[in-house]
Amino acid sequence: MARTVGIGHQDFEEIRGLNNFYIDKTLFIKEWWENKDKVTLITRPRRFGKTLNMSMLEQFFSVKYAGRQDLFEGLEIWENEKYRNLQGTYPVINFSFANIKER
């Protein structure tokens, strides 16, 4: 089955569930985790995937998504057992300002 490009999708679970075309950025999880920074500032231009990456991080770490290995199977992060064991093990609070529009 051909994959389609899900333009405008900002939810990782939705993209994976619809089998949309997705460029695997899951090694960002490994890079971020191993840096052990106190603060992470992610700046990119509009429409560059910031919200999608935050959705991916939330769904990787959040206890709400524990047992949802289906979201990450077949992606780079899932090849490392250390990170498979981290999936779904932390309480996560996620705020998104993506839909807030103000002049």
Side-chain angles (χ1 to χ4, degrees):
M1 183 168 99
R3 292 184 179 191
T4 59
V5 176
I7 297 171
H9 295 282
Q10 297 179 334
D11 182 57
F12 183 75
E13 180 180 21
E14 181 180 7
I15 287 175
R16 296 290 287 165
L18 293 172
N19 200 31
N20 285 147
F21 182 74
Y22 173 72
I23 295 173
D24 188 353
K25 296 181 182 178
T26 56
L27 287 183
F28 172 73
I29 295 168
K30 180 180 185 280
E31 180 183 333
W32 178 77
W33 185 259
E34 290 177 359
N35 279 339
K36 300 185 185 310
D37 295 329
K38 286 188 175 188
V39 175
T40 302
L41 176 63
I42 299 174
T43 59
R44 296 285 185 268
R46 291 185 69 236
R47 313 297 308 154
F48 223 79
K50 296 179 298 294
T51 301
L52 178 58
N53 276 343
M54 293 301 101
S55 174
M56 174 190 66
L57 281 171
E58 174 196 10
Q59 293 170 26
F60 185 80
F61 287 109
S62 179
V63 294
K64 179 181 171 183
Y65 291 91
R68 291 295 313 273
Q69 64 269 11
D70 60 301
L71 295 174
F72 297 93
E73 286 175 340
L75 300 175
E76 290 283 332
I77 196 70
W78 209 249
E79 294 178 11
N80 187 322
E81 185 176 355
K82 173 185 173 181
Y83 291 97
R84 285 194 305 266
N85 294 331
L86 278 176
Q87 197 273 324
T89 56
Y90 287 90
V92 174
I93 299 171
N94 183 29
F95 293 102
S96 176
F97 298 105
N99 295 321
I100 297 176
K101 307 293 183 222
E102 188 62 39
R103 292 186 278 184

